[in-house]
Amino acid sequence: MIDLYYAPTPNGHKITLFLEEVGLPYRIHRVNISAGDQFKPDFLSISPNNKIPAIVDQQPVDGCAPISLFESGEILLYLAEKTGKLLSKGLRERAATLQWLFWQVAGFGPMLGQNHHFNHYAPQPVPYAIERYHLETKRLYGVLEAELQKHPYLGGDNYSIADIATYPWVVSHPRQRIDLADYPAVRNWFERISNRPATGRAYKLAEQG
């Protein structure tokens, strides 16, 4: 059983996408980030960076005490290794998958997050920041497009944790002022993932209180 500390954000969706895809039993603990739940001592004991998602694995494979983890990339990697799913054991596909996973957590997510902030949440418009992060967002979509023109998925031929990490950020493309018609390979990839039954189940959770 996995205890998932969750809010319906792109990073939160990554973990429900994985768990629904592999069918691993889990419980959701909602973290109301608007109310400051992420700063409560009980949550900080699991996620010291006061961010969601975080998990507690009640049955780790070493048979020892429960283990807690934070950071979405590490959680995906941990769960993939625990289940043996969505991460190839082959050297080359595994390496490709992990490099795209790290690309997402180090660049695609943070830069698109800045795009969201300066376009929608900044208390006053900052034209330089709006333009800077929009241009970087377009550049990163171009990188994604080039890779998906070569391979159906980010690790190669198979759906993986790299795709799961990246997809939730592409869901918000209209808010990023991105038209997927300009990125046809990304649009094809996005539509295929959107149509997966596990994707529908994961996003249905976001509608629940």
Side-chain angles (χ1 to χ4, degrees):
M1 175 63 71
I2 301 295
D3 284 296
L4 169 61
Y5 294 81
Y6 163 91
T9 69
N11 287 333
H13 292 316
K14 293 176 186 179
I15 313 306
T16 53
L17 282 167
F18 182 95
L19 292 168
E20 288 295 329
E21 195 72 43
V22 304
L24 194 63
Y26 68 102
R27 292 180 291 240
I28 283 184
H29 304 270
R30 294 268 176 164
V31 178
N32 187 338
I33 54 181
S34 297
D37 287 356
Q38 69 273 31
F39 299 108
K40 292 181 178 178
D42 286 351
F43 182 70
L44 289 173
S45 70
I46 299 167
S47 181
N49 196 36
N50 62 266
K51 303 288 185 182
I52 65 94
I55 67 166
V56 177
D57 184 356
Q58 300 294 345
Q59 295 179 310
V61 295
D62 63 4
C64 296
I67 183 172
S68 62
L69 294 166
F70 68 101
E71 289 296 326
S72 62
E74 164 56 10
I75 293 170
L76 287 174
L77 178 56
Y78 174 86
L79 292 174
E81 291 180 335
K82 175 184 175 74
T83 60
K85 297 179 179 179
L86 297 174
L87 178 61
S88 174
K89 293 180 173 60
L91 172 66
R92 296 178 191 279
E93 189 170 350
R94 178 184 172 87
T97 298
L98 292 180
Q99 73 177 358
W100 286 102
L101 173 65
F102 297 153
W103 173 83
Q104 189 284 313
V105 298
F108 196 68
M111 294 299 100
L112 272 54
Q114 294 296 323
N115 179 316
H116 290 175
H117 176 78
F118 285 106
N119 272 285
H120 302 287
Y121 300 113
Q124 58 189 22
V126 184
Y128 170 78
I130 291 171
E131 184 66 9
R132 170 183 171 81
Y133 289 112
H134 185 229
L135 288 174
E136 179 63 3
T137 295
K138 292 199 294 183
R139 186 191 74 80
L140 290 165
Y141 270 90
V143 173
L144 188 60
E145 173 72 13
E147 180 63 17
L148 292 171
Q149 286 177 357
K150 296 183 289 185
H151 304 288
Y153 295 105
L154 288 175
D157 293 332
N158 299 299
Y159 186 57
S160 75
I161 55 175
D163 304 289
I164 284 175
T166 305
Y167 171 86
W169 287 94
V170 179
V171 169
S172 302
H173 64 271
R175 291 173 62 78
Q176 301 152 12
R177 295 188 292 150
I178 292 292
D179 185 350
L180 291 188
D182 297 331
Y183 306 93
V186 175
R187 182 174 61 184
N188 178 278
W189 166 89
F190 177 77
E191 290 173 350
R192 283 184 282 117
I193 297 175
S194 296
N195 289 328
R196 296 178 74 92
T199 303
R201 293 193 300 271
Y203 275 82
K204 190 72 174 176
L205 291 168
E207 301 171 8
Q208 302 173 6

